[in-house]
Amino acid sequence: MKQKKINSFILLISFNIISLVGAAQKIQTFTNYVAEWEYVSEKTYQNPFRDVILKAVISDKERGAEKEILAFWDGGNVWKFRYASPNPGTYTFITECNDQSNTKLHQRKGEIVIEKYRGENPVYKHGAIKVSNEGNFLEHFDGTPFFWLADSWWHGMTTRFAFPGDFEKLAGDRKEKGFSVIQFAVSFPCDIEPFDQRGQNEAGDPWDKEFRSINPEYFKRTDLRIQKLLDMGFVPNIVGLWGYYMKWMGVENVSKHWEYLIARYGAFPVTYTLSGETTLAYYSDLGDDWDYYKHRFRTQWSNVAKFIQENDPYDRLLTTHPGPGLHDGKNPIYEMQFLDMVMLQSGHKGFLTLPTSNRFINEYRKRFPNKPVLHGEVCFEGMFGSSWQDVQRILFWSNVLQGTPGFSYGAEGIWQFNTATQFFGKSPTGATWGNVPWQIAMHYKGSEQIGIGAAFLRQLPWWTLKPSAGRVSYHAGVDNYYDPYAAEIKDGLLIYFTKVGFKGNQLKVLGLKSGQKYSYVYFDPITGEQHLSKEFTSDKKGEWLIGTPPVMQDWVLWIRSID
């Protein structure tokens, strides 16, 4: 009964505002959960978004720490603060406004009492996502390892994807399949012209067309979607906007945009993607001018990444979606020290994408040995009428066994949210990517089968995975991408091989202890079934010849020593 009361209170404060009246008032919340309060100005400003700078200095006297957070303008004469902490305790705050004569905003005081969250929602129980101390995988704030399995909803805020009905339906499906991250453009998504109505939500566009001010009503509706994802246990990966908008907005406005996003969403246990397709020029500029824009955007987005890192009081994980410009061999942005994680985008060519995928993974893990490296987009299922579940499986397993701490999935029909009555239509290039409704695409088998793979790995100490090409007699590479992939894991070894890559009487496990007993299990990456554990003894060379698998398909072989 006590647990139910706690959860009810959490649900209550997530949708209600705590208004401060008088000089000070106490606010109560839980660890990693957002406390929100507002102030209403009696003074009216010509451009409140630009004219008012309102912040609160939060004091944690128990730990001798202070944190400065910005308020966000929420329309009219209303400003709001959001604050969260992973640490229980009593916090005090005082507001500071650049207009010190406005006593309704300036020098307002309050107290926040934070109790330990005792529910089971992982994003509140364990906290926000960060890079592990080892540097090659992700974990929650409390040190619990986090396996990244993302679904890509680039147009997830659009009116074509109705909230709450449609939104909850797809989110529920992804939750059941084991996805842990939903990544979406919080504003200005891909493959449209600026201020195209296809990028609007129920309140229109996120900014006015002169980029003088934001539209708070747009973000109020976005709030509901982000809160729903969090309540369902997802980590929202917020893509600030698509990269080519830099052409029209410039660094100053894009930085102001990110300042607003940080003020509005930074307290939530979210992650950030600097932009979608950072190196992709607008479609009319993809000819001879593209190299110019790639250089310009890499410089400009580096400046924005620096701004985010310097102005984010919560230090949320920051990455960027690189776009096809990555294929020129250069990094997504010039100043990579401002990114916490490296995302890849290898293309959408089905099995033919595997050489690029393998090359990118190994190249960027060498470039950035202390940063997690994983795909932010690759081979959306159903795109060009291909990249079906067999492609998704080999991409998932080849990625993870080569050292990525997860995988980002996508489906044609979902990224842009076609419906049976309202297709996304043509991109600015004049091409139509596809007309499959999202309600059909959500049932593509690849999403289920990579979820099966993630569930299997989560039962193991997956964060100890270490790519180990030398543990098998032949291993996949850039060109021989159908060959097996191997990775050591604590107290064991995982090997993934396809029916094409399995060569009878040739695939051997190497590096075993001579004459040692081992057990092995065949895991079916299609169904999730595990065949009964069997045993073998390594030969004098410390090798074992893998016999014929149960059925000629792709398999994951899990080998462990027997003490």
Side-chain angles (χ1 to χ4, degrees):
M1 179 64 85
K2 183 178 180 181
Q3 183 64 55
K4 290 184 179 179
K5 288 182 179 178
I6 290 174
N7 288 337
S8 296
F9 178 68
I10 291 171
L11 185 62
L12 176 67
I13 65 172
S14 69
F15 291 101
N16 287 275
I17 299 163
I18 303 170
S19 300
L20 295 182
V21 280
Q25 185 169 338
K26 181 182 292 186
I27 303 169
Q28 292 182 308
T29 186
F30 294 94
T31 48
N32 299 312
Y33 211 90
V34 171
E36 178 183 292
W37 65 100
E38 71 176 34
Y39 295 105
V40 180
S41 171
E42 293 180 351
K43 184 176 180 179
T44 300
Y45 298 86
Q46 184 176 0
N47 186 343
F49 176 67
R50 301 279 187 178
D51 295 343
V52 176
I53 301 173
L54 180 61
K55 60 186 178 181
V57 179
I58 313 285
S59 297
D60 179 1
K61 293 182 179 180
E62 182 178 335
R63 296 167 185 84
E66 284 189 350
K67 181 172 291 188
E68 194 174 278
I69 64 170
L70 278 174
F72 60 91
W73 175 57
D74 204 37
N77 288 347
V78 176
W79 278 263
K80 293 181 180 179
F81 287 98
R82 287 174 177 166
Y83 179 72
S85 173
N87 301 311
T90 298
Y91 301 74
T92 60
F93 66 84
I94 185 169
T95 67
E96 297 178 1
C97 183
N98 63 326
D99 182 0
Q100 296 184 8
S101 66
N102 191 336
T103 57
K104 294 297 183 181
L105 301 181
H106 188 59
Q107 296 292 289
R108 310 293 286 185
K109 297 179 181 180
E111 182 178 272
I112 306 170
V113 178
I114 300 178
E115 299 179 10
K116 184 174 178 58
Y117 171 78
R118 300 189 185 282
E120 294 301 321
N121 187 321
V123 295
Y124 300 130
K125 182 177 182 179
H126 302 299
I129 306 306
K130 63 184 182 71
V131 178
S132 66
N133 292 333
E134 293 81 357
N136 59 347
F137 67 91
L138 302 171
E139 63 185 19
H140 290 273
F141 180 84
D142 68 356
T144 302
F146 177 79
F147 188 83
W148 178 288
L149 188 64
D151 199 18
S152 304
W153 300 5
W154 302 145
H155 282 253
M157 303 298 113
T158 180
T159 54
R160 294 185 304 282
F161 187 40
F163 183 88
D166 290 350
F167 195 94
E168 290 180 349
K169 181 179 181 180
L170 181 57
D173 176 83
R174 276 16 192 177
K175 186 67 178 178
E176 183 178 353
K177 289 175 178 174
F179 285 82
S180 57
V181 178
I182 302 297
Q183 51 187 13
F184 54 89
V186 76
S187 53
F188 297 134
C190 59
D191 279 75
I192 54 174
E193 297 179 355
F195 299 102
D196 188 310
Q197 65 178 8
R198 291 175 292 179
Q200 298 174 347
N201 70 13
E202 297 84 352
D205 290 303
W207 279 71
D208 63 44
K209 292 186 178 180
E210 289 75 35
F211 296 111
R212 292 175 302 187
S213 183
I214 56 92
N215 174 10
E217 296 301 318
Y218 176 96
F219 293 98
K220 289 178 184 178
R221 286 159 176 79
T222 303
D223 287 357
L224 299 176
R225 291 164 166 82
I226 290 177
Q227 185 65 63
K228 175 56 67 174
L229 292 175
L230 289 165
D231 287 344
M232 296 181 71
F234 291 108
V235 171
N237 179 34
I238 294 176
V239 182
L241 68 167
W242 227 251
Y244 55 72
Y245 268 84
M246 181 64 79
K247 176 180 179 179
W248 297 281
M249 294 181 72
V251 171
E252 183 178 352
N253 281 330
V254 170
S255 297
K256 188 69 176 175
H257 177 77
W258 264 108
E259 180 183 73
Y260 188 81
L261 296 183
I262 291 168
R264 189 153 197 141
Y265 301 116
F268 293 102
V270 299
T271 61
Y272 294 143
T273 293
L274 177 66
S275 78
E277 298 188 294
T278 310
T279 56
L280 179 67
Y282 185 64
Y283 302 95
S284 59
D285 300 322
L286 289 177
D288 295 337
D289 291 334
W290 193 7
D291 285 340
Y292 162 78
Y293 277 105
K294 281 191 285 190
H295 170 67
R296 181 179 173 185
F297 286 171
R298 281 180 167 117
T299 301
Q300 291 174 311
W301 283 111
S302 291
N303 292 333
V304 177
K306 180 182 179 182
F307 174 86
I308 293 171
Q309 293 289 19
E310 291 177 347
N311 290 275
D312 175 13
Y314 296 98
D315 194 25
R316 297 302 187 220
L317 183 141
L318 177 65
T319 185
T320 200
H321 179 293
L326 193 68
H327 292 250
D328 63 9
K330 299 177 182 178
N331 294 326
I333 61 175
Y334 288 132
E335 305 295 334
M336 291 293 287
Q337 70 269 25
F338 298 123
L339 298 183
D340 303 305
M341 183 173 77
V342 180
M343 273 189 168
L344 307 174
Q345 182 180 357
S346 295
H348 295 275
K349 298 180 180 179
F351 287 112
L352 296 179
T353 306
L354 281 162
T356 306
S357 172
N358 289 352
R359 178 168 60 86
F360 278 5
I361 290 169
N362 287 282
E363 179 179 330
Y364 279 86
R365 289 189 72 244
K366 289 178 181 176
R367 286 191 198 182
F368 304 101
N370 297 317
K371 295 181 188 288
V373 175
L374 56 75
H375 269 96
E377 177 178 329
V378 61
C379 286
F380 280 0
E381 189 169 13
M383 187 168 282
F384 307 127
S386 61
S387 296
W388 302 112
Q389 62 266 24
D390 49 353
V391 172
Q392 302 304 319
R393 291 197 307 273
I394 192 171
L395 278 168
F396 174 84
W397 285 103
S398 65
N399 275 233
V400 174
L401 296 188
Q402 289 182 100
T404 70
F407 184 75
S408 297
Y409 169 85
E412 171 60 40
I414 289 179
W415 69 263
Q416 77 276 55
F417 286 100
N418 290 317
T419 73
T421 58
Q422 188 178 12
F423 296 131
F424 176 77
K426 294 181 179 179
S427 293
T429 60
T432 298
W433 289 99
N435 285 331
V436 175
W438 70 264
Q439 294 93 335
I440 294 176
M442 70 182 283
H443 298 299
Y444 286 163
K445 293 180 179 179
S447 62
E448 177 184 355
Q449 291 173 11
I450 65 168
I452 287 172
F456 174 73
L457 288 171
R458 287 182 179 126
Q459 297 176 29
L460 307 178
W462 60 265
W463 56 94
T464 67
L465 280 168
K466 180 182 177 182
S468 304
R471 295 299 306 276
V472 287
S473 52
Y474 59 98
H475 192 278
V478 172
D479 297 320
N480 55 326
Y481 47 84
Y482 281 124
D483 283 353
Y485 298 81
E488 293 176 353
I489 193 168
K490 184 179 179 181
D491 300 325
L493 180 70
L494 292 179
I495 303 169
Y496 171 80
F497 58 86
T498 67
K499 62 181 180 181
V500 177
F502 181 80
K503 301 168 185 176
N505 297 320
Q506 294 186 42
L507 183 54
K508 292 182 179 181
V509 180
L510 310 178
L512 302 170
K513 293 182 180 179
S514 176
Q516 172 71 38
K517 280 190 176 182
Y518 292 85
S519 68
Y520 68 94
V521 172
Y522 276 103
F523 170 75
D524 188 335
I526 300 173
T527 67
E529 296 178 357
Q530 295 185 35
H531 287 244
L532 293 176
S533 178
K534 297 183 179 181
E535 298 180 2
F536 71 88
T537 301
S538 60
D539 63 20
K540 293 180 180 180
K541 294 181 180 180
E543 298 177 356
W544 175 56
L545 179 64
I546 299 175
T548 304
V551 178
M552 292 308 295
Q553 61 171 57
D554 51 335
W555 289 97
V556 177
L557 186 60
W558 178 25
I559 299 172
R560 291 170 291 176
S561 63
I562 299 175
D563 296 330

